[in-house]
Amino acid sequence: LIILLKKQLIKLTISGIKKKCQQILWKIGCWNLIQNDRDDDKFVDCAIASNADAIITHDKHFSILKNISFPSVKIMDVSEFKTSCIP
């Protein structure tokens, strides 16, 4: 999982993601935006709480976020990321 945060790439290990998400979710709660795969919700919640610029993923479950206006979470695949963010 890669989260684009204020134009800086953050690549986290699974254990690092779980630990950071647990800390954040304890403070802000859960949005429950991904109906088809509840296990993905923690990544969206973490992105919302950290005010991330985007989530870069190929996971099709995240595409539902393109249809949700609030809270806004930009979803990109790797090719979109390369085109828009890497000079």
Side-chain angles (χ1 to χ4, degrees):
L1 175 75
I2 299 174
I3 297 175
L4 181 62
L5 179 60
K6 301 298 176 210
K7 304 298 181 201
Q8 295 179 350
L9 286 178
I10 310 291
K11 188 170 184 177
L12 303 171
T13 63
I14 295 299
S15 62
I17 290 170
K18 286 181 181 177
K19 182 178 178 183
K20 191 63 174 172
C21 286
Q22 287 170 349
Q23 292 169 349
I24 291 170
L25 297 180
W26 183 80
K27 294 178 183 176
I28 64 144
C30 301
W31 287 89
N32 297 319
L33 298 176
I34 301 182
Q35 302 292 318
N36 292 333
D37 189 353
R38 290 291 185 197
D39 196 45
D40 288 340
D41 276 326
K42 61 184 166 274
F43 303 115
V44 177
D45 295 340
C46 186
I48 293 168
S50 65
N51 198 26
D53 295 310
I55 296 175
I56 295 92
T57 183
H58 283 287
D59 188 328
K60 64 183 178 188
H61 295 121
F62 285 85
S63 64
I64 189 71
L65 299 175
K66 293 179 180 180
N67 301 322
I68 298 172
S69 61
F70 181 85
S72 178
V73 179
K74 185 173 183 178
I75 302 301
M76 305 168 78
D77 63 25
V78 173
S79 61
E80 289 173 304
F81 170 72
K82 286 180 181 178
T83 302
S84 65
C85 296
I86 299 178

